[in-house]
């Protein structure tokens, strides 16, 4: 009996070590509004990009910190590799993408990994989509993208686990 109690306590302790603080639920519209807020958060201008600095709200000013801010994840936010795990997101098909879903490239190093926030299809043929991103040398942007659509890159579509309705 003591062995079972010890193993149970050990298991609880291990899950506590690897499980993140539970993320607050966020609706798709709230996530998109939060993403758009960084387009003008810097005295009317976009938030600049930085891998070393946090914005005034405590989130990193890189792509994964930005996605974490929009999704209401804990500050300073998980990195791109962590966002690409079942802890925070689940894999979906491109055809199932909805506003607030993520397109993630978690391969490589801190200068090659990237995450963008899907907003909507930019054309009826679904050959491009509008997305929010925090990108090096520029900062926050909203533009048409094709990452992950044609199998010629390492981007995969993922849905945040704390998304709750529209």
């Amino acid at each position: 009996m003591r062995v079972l109690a010890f193993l149970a306590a050990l298991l609880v302790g291990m899950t506590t070590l690897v499980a993140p603080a539970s993320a607050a639920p966020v609706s798709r519209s709230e996530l998109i509004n939060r993403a758009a807020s960084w387009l003008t958060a810097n005295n009317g201008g976009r938030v600049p990009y930085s891998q070393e600095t946090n914005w005034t709200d405590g989130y990193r000013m890189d792509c994964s910190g930005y996605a974490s801010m929009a999704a209401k994840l804990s500050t300073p936010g998980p990195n791109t590799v962590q966002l690409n795990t079942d802890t925070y997101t689940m894999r979906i098909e491109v055809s199932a993408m909805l506003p607030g879903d993520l397109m993630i490239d978690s391969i490589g190093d801190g200068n090659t990994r990237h995450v963008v926030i899907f907003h909507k299809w930019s054309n009826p043929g679904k050959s491009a989509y509008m997305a929010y991103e925090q990108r090096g040398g520029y900062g926050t942007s909203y533009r048409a993208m094709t990452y992950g659509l044609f199998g010629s890159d390492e981007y995969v579509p993922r849905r945040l686990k704390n998304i709750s309705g529209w």
Side-chain angles (χ1 to χ4, degrees), residues 73-111:
L73 301 178
S74 61
T75 58
N79 64 32
T80 306
V81 172
Q82 293 165 328
L83 281 173
N84 196 46
T85 66
D86 291 339
T87 300
Y88 295 99
T89 61
M90 60 186 157
R91 178 98 186 238
I92 60 172
E93 295 298 321
V94 170
S95 60
M97 291 189 74
L98 297 171
D101 288 336
L102 305 178
M103 193 65 86
I104 303 175
D105 174 357
S106 65
I107 309 299
D109 63 27
N111 294 314

Side-chain angles (χ1 to χ4, degrees), residues 144-163:
M145 297 185 184
T146 60
Y147 301 156
L149 295 185
F150 305 111
S152 58
D153 57 34
E154 297 166 333
Y155 284 85
V156 294
R158 308 256 329 165
R159 179 158 296 150
L160 287 151
K161 290 188 169 181
N162 67 323
I163 288 280

Side-chain angles (χ1 to χ4, degrees), residues 38-161:
W38 271 26
L39 290 169
T40 58
N42 189 17
N43 295 316
R46 65 185 167 265
V47 172
Y49 180 90
S50 173
Q51 289 184 342
E52 291 83 36
T53 309
N54 293 350
W55 188 239
T56 58
D57 57 11
Y59 288 96
R60 285 187 327 280
M61 295 161 51
D62 60 8
C63 62
S64 56
Y66 174 61
S68 298
M69 176 280 299
K72 295 172 74 173
L73 301 178
S74 61
T75 58
N79 64 32
T80 306
V81 172
Q82 293 165 328
L83 281 173
N84 196 46
T85 66
D86 291 339
T87 300
Y88 295 99
T89 61
M90 60 186 157
R91 178 98 186 238
I92 60 172
E93 295 298 321
V94 170
S95 60
M97 291 189 74
L98 297 171
D101 288 336
L102 305 178
M103 193 65 86
I104 303 175
D105 174 357
S106 65
I107 309 299
D109 63 27
N111 294 314
T112 60
R113 295 186 297 253
H114 196 48
V115 57
V116 301
I117 302 167
F118 177 90
H119 182 214
K120 62 183 180 180
W121 294 105
S122 62
N123 59 53
K126 296 185 178 181
S127 61
Y129 56 89
M130 298 303 296
Y132 291 93
E133 74 176 325
Q134 185 71 358
R135 56 187 166 127
Y138 189 82
T140 314
S141 67
Y142 179 72
R143 63 187 180 134
M145 297 185 184
T146 60
Y147 301 156
L149 295 185
F150 305 111
S152 58
D153 57 34
E154 297 166 333
Y155 284 85
V156 294
R158 308 256 329 165
R159 179 158 296 150
L160 287 151
K161 290 188 169 181

